[in-house]
Amino acid sequence: MRFPMALVSAAVAAALSTVPVAHAKTFKWSSQGEISTWDIHSQNNALQNGIHANVYESLVYYDSRTFKVEPVLATGWREVSPTQVRFTLRQGVKFHDGSAFTADDAVFSLTRAMARTSNYGPFVQGIDKVVKVDDQTIDIFTKSANPVLLRQLTELRIMSRAWAEKNRSVEPKDLKGTDENFAHRNAMGTDPYTLESWQPDVRMVFKRNPNWWGQMEGNVTEIVYTPIKSASTRVAALLSGEVDMVLDPSPQDLPRLRSAAPLKVIDGLENRTLFLGMDQFRDELVGSSVKGKNPLKDVRVRRALYQAIDVNALTRNILRGLGKPTGTLVAPQVAGWSEAVAQRLPYDVEAAKKSMADAGYADGFEVDFACPNNRYINDEAICQAVTAMWARIGVKAKLRTMPQVTYFPLIQRSEASIYLLGWGVPTFDALYSLQSLVRSVGTGGDGNYNVGRYRNERMDYLVDRIKGETDAPVRARMLTEALQLSGDTVSHIPLYDQVIPWAMKKNVELVHRADNRVDMRTVKVQ
């Protein structure tokens, strides 16, 4: 199957716009997390990407109701050849400083996303170069046919070239280091909102951009985002009216919130899977009681850790139903998923003990275990429960928990022997997960979150084939094989697909998205 490109008319672009609501409102919302940077190509994190989308636009984006790709800063595209796609850019678009958006900005931004310090490798995978045709046209050249290019472009936001050059922000901030660029704390895009202020761990304020090129169905002219780590404090803020919405209410508070007269809760299955990763590259684990070797390199040990986890108890008692157990790395909405690959290994403590003994660790061992405490639903409690489950087979996990702004750089430096990670799939295609999580570390986004350094030659071959395979049935078979191989070799320990409830006042109308992203273009406050 050839890459499904077609010229998109301005009439289709107009689907983004509806008559604006007359009465403007402030929308105050909260979640437990904070973003780590305003540099749009630095840290690839779902909460952060969604917040960045208030200020920065991409060439294309998802319709929040259908998840079909829609035109934004590009109004049309067509395939010149299997490896060349021509994009027509929207005219009359202004950055927040009043300067015009042109092809120079698009070329600069897409190329910037390909930089060494960028964490957006999975979204630029397969792109060879981006070339300006004229002020309103660019060509994207790919290394081979790329059937998911449009979906990749939904997360590649556009920055002003002149602004970046003026403010020493040509290269993305290296989140593994301490140096800052101007774009780390400042933002200037083309979106419906401008960033007015950011006080890390306190609040962010956005104002409606009166010069935005489009129109919205929503009526929000000011957004106030407040990160609140404590679940009880977030709920209290919602009940008191201090905030209009909580993105991540705790499972134990949901019955009260669902029955509260002024509130409503809407929920659905997220396209995010929670799993445990393991250091499979060091010859000796840091801080482990095992000296001279790494027990996590042994598939029998990894399988034992897997089978010692009662995931049904986790989803029932800690998540209270806000998780669906799974045996694979992607959720059901993602191309490549199947019921067969999602089958879990059975929970079996005795089988786990036998695997440990067969591997030579009948008495267990000590191991480092890192976990975020403000990123996923009850993440710290999940890790505490897993630690107790592993103790039954003699594995003494030394748990350390920390905020996500510290946690993600730590695991990206491969400083955790075992770690918890949740992985959403913005492209809704398993290649995004496979390339990031199980492909050997390389260039162009290969293995950018394979921080345990899992390596399998067959896996590398499959991922590289999938990148350019345009025959749909063949590609589907390879996606399934790769996911099955991940399960068979226990590359990771899959846990569950997260269910996401949003709690809000009844006077708030919005669209609940499977990627847990609030599309401010749809929000109405009555």
Side-chain angles (χ1 to χ4, degrees), residues 311-313 315-316 323-328 342-344 494-497:
V311 73
N312 288 315
T315 57
R316 181 178 62 250
K324 179 183 177 184
T326 185
T328 192
Q343 290 295 312
R344 286 186 60 80
L495 296 174
Y496 51 86
D497 300 321

Side-chain angles (χ1 to χ4, degrees), residues 132-164:
K132 174 181 176 180
V133 178
D134 56 42
D135 282 348
Q136 300 301 325
T137 313
I138 65 169
D139 282 347
I140 297 180
F141 290 87
T142 57
K143 297 172 185 176
S144 62
N146 185 345
V148 292
L149 177 62
L150 279 183
R151 293 183 176 271
Q152 291 172 207
L153 292 174
T154 62
E155 289 291 71
L156 296 177
R157 282 162 281 278
I158 302 300
M159 177 184 289
S160 163
R161 175 181 173 179
W163 181 82

Side-chain angles (χ1 to χ4, degrees), residues 27-35 47 51 54 197-199 201-206 222-228 234 243 245 247-248 374 404 520:
F27 178 64
K28 297 171 290 183
W29 68 293
S30 176
S31 78
Q32 63 181 326
E34 174 61 294
I35 72 171
L47 174 69
I51 290 176
N54 293 332
S197 63
W198 176 36
Q199 298 170 270
D201 297 315
V202 180
R203 72 174 193 164
M204 269 180 275
V205 179
F206 305 84
E222 181 184 55
I223 306 166
V224 179
Y225 173 73
T226 305
I228 304 175
R234 288 197 305 279
V243 299
M245 174 191 171
L247 188 73
D248 47 5
N374 68 340
Q404 63 172 326
M520 292 298 168

Side-chain angles (χ1 to χ4, degrees), residues 328-437:
T328 192
L329 294 177
V330 298
Q333 306 100 317
V334 178
W337 181 93
S338 70
E339 290 189 8
V341 298
Q343 290 295 312
R344 286 186 60 80
L345 290 176
Y347 165 59
D348 191 330
V349 174
E350 294 307 312
K353 288 180 179 178
K354 182 178 185 305
S355 292
M356 290 286 288
D358 291 345
Y361 302 101
D363 296 327
F365 53 84
E366 293 182 355
V367 66
D368 168 65
F369 182 20
C371 183
N373 58 20
N374 68 340
R375 178 62 189 100
Y376 314 111
I377 299 172
N378 283 7
D379 44 14
E380 185 172 13
I382 289 290
C383 291
Q384 290 169 341
V386 169
T387 298
M389 292 173 182
W390 282 342
R392 299 172 191 163
I393 62 171
V395 174
K396 305 172 185 66
K398 296 179 288 186
L399 178 63
R400 48 185 174 138
T401 65
M402 63 202 76
Q404 63 172 326
V405 293
T406 306
Y407 179 75
F408 285 112
L410 177 136
I411 66 171
Q412 286 183 286
R413 294 193 299 266
S414 298
E415 294 179 5
S417 297
I418 304 179
Y419 55 92
L420 176 74
L421 188 60
W423 198 254
V425 187
T427 62
F428 290 84
D429 186 274
L431 172 61
Y432 177 80
S433 299
L434 294 167
Q435 183 188 10
S436 298
L437 301 174

